């Protein structure tokens, strides 16, 4: 099991000062992974009521709170990621945050909501990872969830919500919708200082979409291979 080098460095320093050997303890390493997915789950769950209130009641008063929580989650997760494309995704995330700050609050609300809606699939991803870790660690009352239909349903919900929010809805809004085109045209027509930040924002938006398409291909490949194995 591979862990991010920053976590490994922290564990080595801990072992050095306290004369322990935590870095070789698989239980500790897996517990760290459970912590990562638990806090990730807790930070993305508030996105659901936020999106609901915006769609049904056109209310967005909790938006700044949710965005700030996700910013912290994005930063903390940089110490846990184990793949370069995830680092790249987090870099795009920070660029989206920076670029969004240079657009008027009144017209940036819908784009931010579209971005936040992509985190709905993260709920099922975190649940998937937690279920798998509970199984490996033989956590009482939770270890057998992996062998139930709950696990399968969760995996399908992850695949479906990923496709809908991260590719179809996200791609449609930022590439095809007139609403976002008008926002960008307004930015370009204002002053030259806006051009650089607008281009940075667009670069991050399309970068995230490219990564989502790449990951969805991997998700489909895994789902297809597991389905083949199951029917053999």
């Amino acid at each position: 099991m591979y862990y991010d080098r920053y976590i490994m460095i922290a564990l080595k320093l801990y072992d050095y000062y306290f004369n322990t050997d935590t870095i070789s303890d698989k239980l500790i390493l897996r517990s760290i992974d459970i912590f990562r997915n638990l806090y990730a789950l807790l930070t993305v769950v508030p996105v659901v009521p936020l999106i609901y209130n915006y769609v049904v009641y056109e209310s967005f008063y909790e938006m700044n709170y949710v965005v700030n929580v996700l910013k912290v989650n994005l930063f903390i997760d940089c110490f846990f990621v184990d793949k370069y494309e995830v680092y790249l995704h987090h870099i795009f995330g920070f660029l989206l945050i920076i670029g969004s700050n240079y657009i008027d609050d009144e017209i940036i609300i819908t784009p931010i909501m579209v971005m936040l809606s992509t985190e709905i699939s993260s709920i099922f991803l975190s649940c998937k990872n937690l279920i798998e870790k509970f199984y490996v660690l033989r956590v009482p009352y939770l270890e057998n969830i992996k062998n139930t239909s709950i696990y399968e349903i969760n995996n399908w919900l992850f695949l479906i919500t990923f496709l809908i929010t991260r590719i179809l809805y996200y791609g449609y809004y930022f590439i095809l919708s007139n609403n976002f085109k008008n926002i960008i045209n307004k930015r370009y027509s204002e002053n030259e200082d806006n051009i650089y930040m607008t281009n940075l924002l667009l670069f991050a938006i399309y970068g995230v979409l490219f990564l989502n398409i790449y990951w969805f291909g991997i998700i489909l490949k895994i789902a297809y291979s597991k389905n083949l194995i199951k029917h053999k």
Side-chain angles (χ1 to χ4, degrees):
M1 184 178 296
Y2 175 81
Y3 286 87
D4 183 80
R5 61 181 178 272
Y6 297 114
I7 292 297
M8 302 307 284
I9 291 173
L11 291 177
K12 285 181 180 178
L13 289 173
Y14 181 89
D15 289 339
Y16 176 79
Y17 283 108
F18 295 97
N19 195 26
T20 57
D21 190 29
T22 57
I23 200 168
S24 301
D25 193 325
K26 291 184 178 180
L27 178 61
I28 291 177
L29 294 177
R30 285 171 177 150
S31 298
I32 291 173
D33 209 23
I34 287 179
F35 165 76
R36 173 197 178 186
N37 285 283
L38 274 176
Y39 86 72
L41 180 61
L42 292 175
T43 56
V44 296
V45 164
V47 168
V48 176
L50 174 65
I51 298 296
Y52 175 82
N53 287 335
Y54 180 69
V55 173
V56 177
Y57 303 109
E58 296 185 354
S59 170
F60 50 86
Y61 71 92
E62 319 98 325
M63 187 181 72
N64 288 334
Y65 165 76
V66 174
V67 170
N68 289 331
V69 170
L70 290 174
K71 287 179 184 178
V72 175
N73 177 38
L74 192 64
F75 174 75
I76 294 176
D77 201 53
C78 289
F79 295 93
F80 290 91
V81 295
D82 55 4
K83 295 179 181 178
Y84 288 111
E85 60 265 29
V86 182
Y87 272 120
L88 187 59
H89 174 270
H90 288 7
I91 291 173
F92 287 145
F94 285 117
L95 292 179
L96 287 174
I97 293 169
I98 295 171
S100 299
N101 289 334
Y102 285 83
I103 298 181
D104 297 337
D105 291 340
E106 294 181 0
I107 62 175
I108 196 61
I109 292 172
T110 299
I112 288 179
M113 287 297 180
V114 174
M115 295 176 193
L116 290 177
S117 70
T118 64
E119 293 301 327
I120 293 174
S121 65
S122 298
I123 296 174
F124 303 106
L125 176 61
S126 294
C127 288
K128 175 183 181 298
N129 293 334
L130 285 171
I131 290 171
E132 292 172 352
K133 294 298 178 296
F134 292 152
Y135 177 78
V136 172
L137 292 175
R138 296 291 187 265
V139 178
Y141 307 108
L142 298 173
E143 62 176 299
N144 292 323
I145 297 179
K146 191 173 185 293
N147 299 320
T148 66
S149 58
I150 295 176
Y151 179 67
E152 291 296 325
I153 293 172
N154 180 81
N155 288 349
W156 278 108
L157 287 174
F158 168 60
L159 188 151
I160 293 169
T161 54
F162 193 102
L163 173 63
I164 293 174
T165 62
R166 291 182 178 264
I167 297 178
L168 298 180
Y169 185 43
Y170 184 97
Y172 169 79
Y173 180 80
F174 287 113
I175 295 178
L176 300 177
S177 75
N178 290 327
N179 179 275
F180 187 67
K181 289 178 182 178
N182 292 336
I183 292 175
I184 295 302
N185 291 334
K186 182 176 183 297
R187 292 289 298 168
Y188 279 135
S189 64
E190 289 175 348
N191 59 66
E192 293 184 359
D193 293 335
N194 290 337
I195 295 177
Y196 173 76
M197 296 309 302
T198 302
N199 288 337
L200 185 67
L201 180 63
L202 290 174
F203 172 73
I205 287 172
Y206 298 140
V208 169
L209 180 59
F210 174 80
L211 283 175
N212 286 339
I213 293 172
Y214 167 74
W215 280 328
F216 188 68
I218 295 176
I219 294 169
L220 285 180
K221 184 178 180 181
I222 294 173
Y224 179 72
S225 62
K226 286 186 176 180
N227 191 56
L228 282 180
I229 294 172
K230 187 181 296 185
H231 287 85
K232 281 186 177 180

